[in-house]
Amino acid sequence: MNANQNKVTINIINIITGSQVTIIHGQSSLLTLKSLISAGCTDIIVTEAKRIFPINLSKTLAEELGMTLGKEIGYAIRNEDKTIEDVKYIIVDEAITMKGEYTDTMIAKLKDLIQQRKDLKIVFNMKDSNEVSIKAIKDNFNASLYIV
């Protein structure tokens, strides 16, 4: 990891740990997850509107890092839930900002969840999203924004 990547990783960890809801703009979910894991953060759930991404990402990271799927890292998608009981971090990929019944339901659930669990950290990972999507999430969740 070069000095610039290390600085970005430190900044991401600081903003995520200092905010209940964070938007990371300009970085892939994989890099955000690796930043969290490298800092010792576990109990992570990956969620997205599309099925294949969270499944593959969670399984790959679990294998690469010797983690147990469903214990330190998991995923939640429609009709399949490989989550952990005491989740601390939820990584939400940018596809969740697309309008639709599933997306609206998930956003409502996340809003309810952060009201109930003040210890929970939600990270909206928005690599290529437009300003309107970012503003909507920022306004809905009073989220911190970090631009890579």
Side-chain angles (χ1 to χ4, degrees):
M1 183 180 296
N2 67 37
N4 190 42
Q5 287 171 320
N6 192 38
K7 183 180 176 185
V8 168
T9 298
I10 291 167
N11 288 340
I12 287 172
I13 297 306
N14 287 339
I15 196 165
I16 290 171
T17 57
S19 302
Q20 189 172 18
V21 181
T22 307
I23 300 168
I24 305 295
H25 180 60
Q27 177 167 279
S28 73
S29 293
L30 177 62
L31 291 175
T32 299
L33 279 164
K34 284 188 173 185
S35 296
L36 280 170
I37 292 166
S38 71
C41 302
T42 60
D43 304 331
I44 302 168
I45 293 188
V46 180
T47 188
E48 192 210 345
K50 297 177 186 173
R51 295 181 60 83
I52 199 70
F53 179 79
I55 296 170
N56 286 345
L57 182 58
S58 298
K59 284 180 179 178
T60 299
L61 282 173
E63 287 173 15
E64 282 181 13
L65 302 170
M67 300 171 93
T68 305
L69 186 63
K71 195 162 189 145
E72 294 104 348
I73 189 166
Y75 60 87
I77 57 175
R78 187 180 317 175
N79 300 325
E80 190 173 345
D81 193 345
K82 193 74 163 173
T83 59
I84 49 184
E85 206 169 290
D86 296 320
V87 65
K88 292 182 183 135
Y89 301 90
I90 299 177
I91 308 298
V92 182
D93 194 82
E94 68 186 318
I96 201 69
T97 63
M98 299 183 305
K99 284 308 242 177
E101 182 182 329
Y102 175 71
T103 300
D104 294 343
T105 301
M106 180 169 287
I107 294 293
K109 284 181 181 179
L110 290 173
K111 285 178 87 169
D112 288 344
L113 197 54
I114 62 171
Q115 293 300 316
Q116 298 167 18
R117 297 244 342 256
K118 298 300 181 190
D119 64 316
L120 183 67
K121 306 291 185 182
I122 298 176
V123 180
F124 287 90
N125 207 89
M126 305 176 90
K127 186 171 189 262
D128 298 313
S129 293
N130 63 41
E131 289 179 27
V132 173
S133 296
I134 291 171
K135 183 174 180 352
I137 295 297
K138 194 168 192 286
D139 292 348
N140 258 322
F141 288 91
N142 192 26
S144 298
L145 173 63
Y146 182 77
I147 300 173
V148 177

